[in-house]
Amino acid sequence: MNPPDVLAELIALQAGDVPTHGGATMAYVYDSGHAGVDELAAAAQAAYQWTNALDPTVFPSVARIENDLVGAAAALLGGNAGTVGTVTSGGTESCLLAVLAARERWRARDRGGDRPRLLLPVTAHAAFRKAAHLFDLEVVDLPVDPVSCRVLPAAVSAELDDRAALVVVSAPSYPHGVLDPVGEVAALAAAAGVPCHVDACIGGWVLPFLDDVPEPFDLSVPGVTSLSVDLHKYGYAPKGVSVLLSADAELRHAHWFSTAGWPGYPVVNPTLAGTRPAGPMAAAWAVQRELGTDGYRQLARSARAATVALAEGISALPGLRVVGRPVSTLVAVAEEAPDGVDVLNLADEMTARGWLLQPQPPFDQPGGALAATLHLTVTGATAGRVEALLADLADAARAAAALPRPQADPELVSAAATIDPSALTVAEVEGLLELAGVGGGRLPERMAPVHALVAALPRPVAERLLAGVLGQVYRPSTVVGS
Ligand SMILES: Cc1ncc(COP(=O)(O)O)c(C=O)c1O
């Protein structure tokens, strides 16, 4: 095939995707609204697409780019002369490495065979659960205040024992966009000799540019030992680039891996990958140069102003409320009890109007249950569309209020209660998905009943079925490259 035809075919594949630009997709994507930023990023990626960031001694350009990105993050986020960092592939990898470093530090002391524990507010990003799973830490779920959705410091201090390897706080949390009490938690952790990670993956390139942040949250806060910030979010770089800052070189070394124990080349990996793409880091570097501090400040402030306007507008809509105090550019919308608008139905109504708002299930926790919410990530591109968004929300809320509440099929739920998910075969999972109306990896247009079912199932069963859906989505094509 000739290249233009190949490219046309590839681009045509995107017809069914949600838009990546224009500000209506309010999760997954971050659009600055400036086409020039994207063009520069694409050119920078192209220039570095064959470079292997595996070895910065043969590609010194990689070392320079990484050092510039880490230096910029440290300068923005309270670093000092001892601060070091690592460029990673994204928020999840930054969080994984923060946990790995803390576990290694914990193990370095004689622990008599104990298993380390990860103290995690229930609102901390799921990436930390993945880290605990991969690196064999026990998760200690810390409740949050059910109104403010901030972690309760008393819950943290109750768990700070010898087995605590790391405490995590978010700046802000993904589900609700609220800021954990970083200073208080970090001080408690420090007093107990436990490291404290600030997950600023989503807020770290926004909060430093705002005037109304309620309290300090970065590496300058006593007790904070590491911090993650994603450049592929509000750094407006293309996917695949984040920074993990470590308060000192010892802690950074703890997540590195090196071996001379094979006949091949000596391996020293700062991250989980071996061969690493240099394209995303080059793009991040270029975008940072183009936008500069002033560019980022403008983008952060316009997204923040839009967020404040949006939150006010939503609070004025009957049947809906904003959860907690959003400090950055995220908003969580919940039903105004008792007879408000069901947010799962609202999500479907907004999808029909061209917006993607992300449903988040209700969550039970010791401090008091957290309501189901819709998550909205506001970026530079959404900033100009707040009025249209509020108008559609008002219209969608009226339509959603007239719909029956999504109910999980009670027979399915009671059958699921007797299932041992670890004993289910792939074929049995597929059978259950068929019964639930999501067989063959096809999701219905209205997702509210599916979300209601997921929320009603025992968590391990839901997790197995969700993996089953992905198993059906990912099936090898029968015709490849013919
Ligand atoms: C606070 C926070 N931490 C971690 C992550 C995970 O980042 P990624 O999806 O880049 O792996 C996210 C993603 O939204 C996030 O918001």
Side-chain angles (χ1 to χ4, degrees), residues 35 39 96 98 103 179 280 327 374 405 430 440 476:
E39 280 159 25
L96 293 180
R103 187 201 71 178
L179 184 62
V327 294
L374 292 188
R405 275 178 190 276
E430 288 183 356

Side-chain angles (χ1 to χ4, degrees), residues 115-438:
R115 189 168 173 229
R117 306 203 307 162
L118 177 60
L119 307 194
L120 209 56
V122 295
T123 49
H125 195 275
F128 292 99
R129 290 171 193 277
K130 183 173 181 174
H133 170 70
L134 291 175
F135 304 135
D136 196 26
L137 289 88
E138 177 189 328
V139 172
V140 178
D141 283 309
L142 303 174
V144 297
D145 177 273
V147 176
S148 71
C149 294
R150 306 168 79 214
V151 72
L152 296 161
V156 179
S157 68
E159 300 293 349
L160 282 166
D161 60 11
D162 261 8
R163 288 173 58 206
L166 182 69
V167 184
V168 174
V169 279
S170 304
S173 69
Y174 183 84
H176 307 109
V178 304
L179 184 62
D180 278 326
V182 175
E184 222 177 320
V185 171
L188 288 168
V194 175
C196 175
H197 179 79
V198 174
D199 181 4
C201 279
I202 203 160
W205 225 262
V206 174
L207 296 175
F209 301 109
L210 305 181
D211 292 328
D212 56 347
V213 181
E215 56 186 287
F217 66 92
D218 62 16
L219 268 178
S220 65
V221 175
V224 172
T225 50
S226 55
L227 181 148
S228 47
V229 57
D230 292 355
L231 301 179
H232 67 196
K233 292 191 170 74
Y234 286 96
Y236 292 113
K239 303 293 181 219
V241 56
S242 167
V243 174
L244 172 62
L245 295 176
S246 308
D248 59 65
E250 296 293 336
L251 190 60
R252 179 179 68 168
H253 175 72
H255 70 71
W256 285 9
F257 175 79
S258 60
T259 182
W262 74 315
Y265 57 90
V267 168
V268 190
N269 291 156
T271 64
L272 297 176
T275 285
R276 282 200 299 157
M281 57 177 84
W285 188 94
V287 171
Q288 280 191 6
R289 288 293 279 311
E290 189 192 12
L291 286 173
T293 307
D294 288 344
Y296 279 121
R297 183 176 296 113
Q298 270 176 26
L299 279 164
R301 289 183 178 209
S302 85
R304 173 67 185 160
T307 307
V308 170
L310 195 55
E312 278 171 9
I314 291 168
S315 304
L317 293 176
L320 294 174
R321 68 185 168 91
V322 168
V323 176
R325 176 181 177 193
V327 294
S328 180
T329 50
L330 315 177
V331 181
V333 184
E335 174 174 352
E336 178 79 279
D339 283 319
V341 175
D342 181 89
V343 292
L344 298 179
N345 280 336
L346 181 63
D348 284 340
E349 288 297 327
M350 287 301 280
T351 302
R353 288 161 180 77
W355 300 90
L356 186 148
L357 313 188
Q358 197 175 45
Q360 305 182 127
F363 191 86
D364 239 343
Q365 54 137 27
L370 307 179
T373 48
L374 292 188
H375 169 103
L376 285 72
T377 289
V378 178
T379 63
T382 320
R385 303 191 58 186
V386 172
E387 267 182 40
L389 175 54
L390 280 170
D392 278 341
L393 267 171
D395 189 46
R398 277 190 293 274
L403 292 171
R405 275 178 190 276
Q407 299 279 344
D409 176 346
E411 274 179 42
L412 257 180
V413 175
S414 62
T418 63
I419 290 175
D420 169 9
S422 63
L424 287 176
T425 64
V426 169
E428 285 166 340
V429 168
E430 288 183 356
L432 285 169
L433 292 174
E434 206 61 58
L435 282 178
V438 291

